[in-house]
Amino acid sequence: MSDITTSSRMPALYIGHGAPPLLDDALWSGQLAAWSADLPRPKAILIVSAHWESAPVMLSASGPGTPLVYDFGGFAQRYYEMTYATPDASALAARVAAMMPDTEPVHQHTSRGLDHGAWVPLRIMYPDADIPVLQMSLPTDDPYRLLELGKRLRPLRDEGVLIIGSGFLTHGLPYLREFRIDAAAPGWSREFDAWAAEALARGDVDELASYRSKAPGMPYAHPTVEHYTPLFITLGAASDPETPGDQVVDGYWMGLSKRSLQVA
């Protein structure tokens, strides 16, 4: 991918992606916009969203005018009419496919678009839609396999690619009782968030990977784990996964932790 080069290494991010109403939340939108404004401008973006679990590794449509997946229900019609037509990402798709071992072939979709775990936050962070974006599926929930996948992708950072794991640090939707953006965080959400914040501050990857047995608030914080596990793609892509990253965003949204991380 010779057209994607840079002299400085891009960071890697783990972000909470919210739901379409995030686009109307001035506080969180402002935090994400300020964060992206402080980053070097990426040449391309590779994003792994909680909302595409599929093995083997799969890549989204990479042609120009990226289609979107409206994988949500019950929201205002205008969210289903939004677009985010990014440029051609075929060079990045070819590069990612070439990085995978022969024993783990990559499937390239020709029509699968960006789901809301990708396009909702990116529409805020890069509203001009002028950066190539490729989405990669989440092929496993095993933290150590995801760390290895992130490590395999790490060289992309030296080529100007911003790697993003997109999820939600707590995601116990079945256990929420109030669906207001400013709703108080339930105890299980606060407890899991505090545990994760402390482990991230220590760079304790093994503790984070042992969340099923060690994290307070389980299984309520993650009755399914796909919103947590993209974190390990990000940590694997770090120059040193055990060097604490910067916890750029914290706080809660509908009682769920929006804590987000940047690693060098």
Side-chain angles (χ1 to χ4, degrees):
M1 198 168 62
S2 60
D3 58 327
I4 299 181
T5 57
T6 184
S7 58
S8 61
R9 172 171 283 187
M10 291 296 298
L13 315 181
Y14 169 76
I15 62 175
H17 60 241
L22 163 58
L23 297 164
D24 301 320
D25 178 353
L27 173 60
W28 197 3
S29 290
Q31 291 171 323
L32 290 173
W35 188 2
S36 59
D38 285 340
L39 297 175
R41 178 175 170 81
K43 297 293 181 66
I45 297 170
L46 178 65
I47 188 163
V48 181
S49 159
H51 294 283
W52 193 14
E53 296 177 276
S54 190
V57 169
M58 300 195 179
L59 303 177
S60 64
S62 59
T66 317
L68 301 185
V69 179
Y70 303 97
D71 53 337
F72 44 80
F75 295 107
Q77 179 60 31
R78 61 190 180 85
Y79 296 123
Y80 301 88
E81 298 169 356
M82 289 181 172
T83 60
Y84 191 69
T86 50
D88 183 90
S90 57
L92 178 57
R95 179 75 174 98
V96 172
M99 300 175 88
M100 300 298 138
D102 292 341
T103 54
E104 298 180 35
V106 173
H107 179 72
Q108 174 79 60
H109 273 266
T110 57
S111 59
R112 207 279 182 186
L114 305 176
D115 61 47
H116 81 268
W119 68 263
V120 166
L122 290 179
R123 213 169 183 270
I124 297 168
M125 298 175 78
Y126 299 101
D128 293 335
D130 56 354
I131 298 170
V133 176
L134 183 72
Q135 185 170 342
M136 188 175 76
S137 70
L138 191 64
T140 177
D141 63 6
D142 181 332
Y144 291 102
R145 287 179 61 195
L146 292 173
L147 285 164
E148 283 301 311
L149 179 55
K151 181 179 179 181
R152 193 175 295 147
L153 298 169
R154 188 185 301 165
L156 293 173
R157 296 177 48 210
D158 291 318
E159 301 168 24
V161 178
L162 179 64
I163 298 173
I164 302 177
S166 176
F168 227 137
L169 195 65
T170 60
H171 198 254
L173 291 179
Y175 307 110
L176 295 181
R177 296 294 175 262
E178 293 185 79
F179 291 89
R180 294 180 294 105
I181 286 175
D182 59 349
W188 48 260
S189 187
R190 296 194 307 271
E191 291 166 4
F192 188 99
D193 176 60
W195 167 84
E198 200 273 335
L200 287 167
R202 291 199 319 270
D204 194 337
V205 175
D206 287 334
E207 174 82 1
L208 292 162
S210 302
Y211 65 97
R212 292 184 192 269
S213 60
K214 293 188 175 180
M218 288 293 291
Y220 303 101
H222 290 285
T224 58
V225 301
E226 73 285 343
H227 280 75
Y228 177 68
T229 52
L231 171 66
F232 296 99
I233 294 283
T234 302
L235 293 175
S239 303
D240 177 1
E242 295 186 347
T243 296
D246 296 324
Q247 298 178 45
V248 178
V249 175
D250 59 12
Y252 299 91
W253 195 76
M254 294 199 306
L256 303 175
S257 170
K258 61 183 185 180
R259 186 174 302 278
S260 298
L261 180 74
Q262 176 175 326
V263 298

